[in-house]
Amino acid sequence: HGGSERASIKHDKICGLCLRGPERNRRGEYEALIKCSTCQNSGHPSCLELTVQTVRILGSYSWQCMECKVCMLCNDPGDEEKMMFCDDCDRGYHTFCVGLTDIPTGHWMCKLCSSCASCGVHTSDFSRGNLCTHHFTTPRDGSEPKFIQTLCKPCSTLFTAGHFCPVCVHVYRNDETDLPMVCCDYCDRWIHSECDNISAALYSTLS
């Protein structure tokens, strides 16, 4: 497992590993570069051994390269031999900051990538087969998909079916009759009254 600006696609730099631009990576293929938010150095995701899914998640936070990586919990770059990286988002964490004595083997996910953003359930609480799913936008203009959130299997099913508030993107079940929500007269989408700044008095009138 191993700044203020988010990871971004750059077309005017070269990869610090293969010393080639975006027009040709080690496989001889076009591949856009990602840039470290701290040192501004760039690299091909394939040279950095980052998956397509990870690269999409990088755009949602200030990504740092291996040389600049700091622990997300203590913000300290030291103790490099104890620094591990989330296999899904590439954020860095010290083993001792997350309660581990050694760097785990296999696929390790940080709390941000292994907790459901809607109901809050963690992977350690999941029943067998109930794994997290990362959701991304599906642009119609051919642009790069953007990371939205990580959900457990039940919440992911509801989200895919469109059962979520368009403001906070938390999912809802049809049997949650005590959940204060209102339906838009134009698009028929349900939204939490609090998310739409509707007071309790007004909600009582509307309902």
Side-chain angles (χ1 to χ4, degrees):
H1 306 273
S4 61
E5 183 181 348
R6 292 182 176 181
S8 57
I9 301 299
K10 300 298 292 183
H11 300 279
D12 56 348
K13 301 289 183 179
I14 62 170
C15 173
L17 296 175
C18 70
L19 303 181
R20 296 173 179 172
E23 65 283 347
R24 184 181 176 85
N25 60 16
R26 286 175 174 173
R27 299 190 297 266
E29 303 169 346
Y30 173 85
E31 185 178 20
L33 304 174
I34 59 173
K35 183 180 69 172
C36 173
S37 63
T38 300
C39 69
Q40 308 300 306
N41 287 329
S42 300
H44 292 117
S46 60
C47 290
L48 296 168
E49 299 183 355
L50 298 175
T51 66
V52 173
Q53 174 176 275
T54 297
V55 173
R56 290 175 178 173
I57 296 177
L58 298 187
S60 66
Y61 75 97
S62 300
W63 177 76
Q64 295 173 308
C65 66
M66 291 281 288
E67 287 72 24
C68 299
K69 196 86 72 179
V70 299
C71 174
M72 292 295 296
L73 297 180
C74 69
N75 202 39
D76 190 336
D79 294 295
E80 295 181 9
E81 71 283 357
K82 293 292 185 179
M83 186 80 76
M84 57 186 184
F85 312 105
C86 174
D87 286 317
D88 278 20
C89 70
D90 200 46
R91 289 180 173 93
Y93 295 87
H94 288 125
T95 53
F96 49 83
C97 284
V98 296
L100 297 175
T101 55
D102 298 299
I103 295 178
T105 58
H107 191 92
W108 181 80
M109 294 186 296
C110 69
K111 186 175 182 179
L112 292 173
C113 291
S114 58
S115 297
C116 178
S118 190
C119 70
V121 67
H122 191 267
T123 48
S124 59
D125 303 319
F126 289 171
S127 58
R128 187 173 182 179
N130 182 9
L131 302 177
C132 271
T133 298
H134 300 303
H135 285 270
F136 303 87
T137 59
T138 52
R140 297 179 180 179
D141 59 0
S143 59
E144 189 69 19
K146 303 295 183 183
F147 175 69
I148 302 175
Q149 61 182 344
T150 298
L151 299 173
C152 65
K153 188 175 181 179
C155 289
S156 178
T157 300
L158 290 170
F159 184 80
T160 302
H163 295 175
F164 63 91
C165 171
V167 177
C168 68
V169 297
H170 281 199
V171 302
Y172 61 84
R173 300 188 308 274
N174 289 332
D175 59 356
E176 292 181 292
T177 55
D178 59 338
L179 191 64
M181 300 188 76
V182 293
C183 183
C184 175
D185 291 331
Y186 292 96
C187 66
D188 289 331
R189 297 293 301 275
W190 286 89
I191 181 173
H192 295 120
S193 58
E194 183 178 353
C195 290
D196 204 27
N197 296 317
I198 296 175
S199 65
L202 179 58
Y203 175 75
S204 179
T205 302
L206 293 174
S207 58

